[in-house]
Amino acid sequence: MKILGSIFLVLVLLGVGSFVWASGKANDLLSRTIDVHTVDFPVPYPVDPEEVAELGLSPEQADSAAFARARQRGQHLLTSRYACTECHGEDFGGGLMVDDGMIGTILGPNITSGSGGRVASYTPADWDRIVRHGVLPDGRPAAMPSQDFERMSDQELSDLIVVIRSAPPVDAEVASPSLGPLGTFLVATGGIPLSADLLDDHLGAHDVSPPLAEANAEFGAHLASVCTGCHGPDLSGGNVPGGDPSWPPATNLTPLVGGLGDWTYEQFASVMREGERADGSPLLQPMAGVIAFTANMTETEMRALWAYLRSIPPTATAD
């Protein structure tokens, strides 16, 4: 009994010591500052001066047209590509990202102009840091999944800001993220990577505007940038970094037999709009939830994405 008691005590001490180490390591990772460039862009993007002159628009009419166009573009981005509402709620007043006793509780903050909103004082540079770099205005890493948004152009980010700023104010205080014991270990050991650490470049310039919306691989590459968070930088699939353990490995999207290698465009478009495979079986999470957005893609966007997926090099799925 004494031996068993001694073993138990040693295990307890090891466990406590490991947790103390993990807590310190996670705190260091979350409290450090990351150097990010400073950018600026207009919100909204103005109407081209030549068009203003051609249409004979007054300054007020030009401003109104710029706002209306930006809001229309931004609304399409929100419903077809950039799933902001999945974390911040349909009204942008806050939403649930993770709620697990062992992992922790991570809530999407309130990003409206109401009481408790976090972005009232945000400049374009602040929006750039949090959205495209996963870094808070004070330089600390955030829970924002920015690997999906790093290739967003300045104009697209500006359009999204217009939509968010024009949303009705919501009065809601949303708690800051808190980690459970397992979440603490996973952050400390890299099992839950911070998006700021997944990005290679925090100082390089972003594209000012997206490629022309044409059914080609160039535009498709831009669209596919939101797929990399699950399918990997080369879209070869595999386990989703930091994903729910119940999620299956992400499909290899490169032109390999067994992935999408023997698919037709019609099959691809049907799955992306209906959420069912060719054999009638439903897609699993997280892709099942993505269909609510891809179903709203235009035909040009869908064909551009397909053109890009057929153009990239075949790459074996990592073990």
Side-chain angles (χ1 to χ4, degrees), residues 180-200:
L182 179 57
T184 300
F185 274 103
L186 290 173
V187 169
T189 59
I192 296 180
L194 300 170
S195 66
D197 294 326
L198 296 174
L199 307 181
D200 295 327

Side-chain angles (χ1 to χ4, degrees), residues 91-93 110-117 163-172:
D91 59 3
F92 302 121
N110 179 352
I111 55 174
T112 74
S113 60
S115 175
V163 174
I164 293 168
R165 284 181 176 174
S166 62
V170 176
D171 296 331

Side-chain angles (χ1 to χ4, degrees), residues 91-273:
D91 59 3
F92 302 121
L96 178 64
M97 298 171 69
V98 177
D99 186 16
D100 182 282
M102 291 298 292
I103 300 294
T105 301
I106 302 177
L107 306 175
N110 179 352
I111 55 174
T112 74
S113 60
S115 175
R118 303 275 185 88
V119 299
S121 63
Y122 270 30
T123 65
D126 294 326
W127 282 101
D128 166 61
R129 290 188 187 97
I130 189 67
V131 174
R132 296 189 289 197
H133 296 274
V135 176
L136 294 164
D138 64 7
R140 291 178 296 122
M144 181 80 184
S146 294
Q147 63 271 29
D148 285 342
F149 312 126
E150 65 170 326
R151 292 184 60 187
M152 181 189 293
S153 67
D154 290 346
Q155 179 188 300
E156 289 168 312
L157 180 52
S158 177
D159 293 342
L160 290 173
I161 295 171
V162 167
V163 174
I164 293 168
R165 284 181 176 174
S166 62
V170 176
D171 296 331
E173 297 289 341
V174 178
S176 299
S178 61
L179 294 174
L182 179 57
T184 300
F185 274 103
L186 290 173
V187 169
T189 59
I192 296 180
L194 300 170
S195 66
D197 294 326
L198 296 174
L199 307 181
D200 295 327
D201 187 5
H202 289 295
L203 302 177
H206 301 280
D207 290 339
V208 173
S209 56
L212 291 177
E214 298 177 344
N216 56 35
E218 180 187 3
F219 185 42
H222 182 71
L223 299 174
S225 64
V226 300
C227 309
T228 58
C230 289
H231 294 276
D234 60 1
L235 301 181
S236 64
N239 292 327
V240 180
D244 190 311
S246 67
W247 290 352
T251 298
N252 188 332
L253 300 181
T254 70
L256 284 175
V257 174
L260 303 185
D262 55 354
W263 284 39
T264 64
Y265 168 73
E266 288 71 25
Q267 289 173 318
F268 171 73
S270 177
V271 168
M272 295 288 278
R273 291 189 172 117

Side-chain angles (χ1 to χ4, degrees), residues 44 66-85 92 152 155-164 166 293:
F67 178 84
R69 292 179 185 185
R71 187 171 183 180
Q72 183 180 34
R73 293 191 303 260
Q75 194 62 42
H76 178 66
L77 292 174
L78 279 172
T79 57
S80 66
R81 196 183 317 165
Y82 300 122
C84 308
T85 54
F92 302 121
M152 181 189 293
Q155 179 188 300
E156 289 168 312
L157 180 52
S158 177
D159 293 342
L160 290 173
I161 295 171
V162 167
V163 174
I164 293 168
S166 62
F293 298 90

Side-chain angles (χ1 to χ4, degrees), residues 39 44 56 58 86 195:
V39 300
S58 68
E86 289 293 282
S195 66

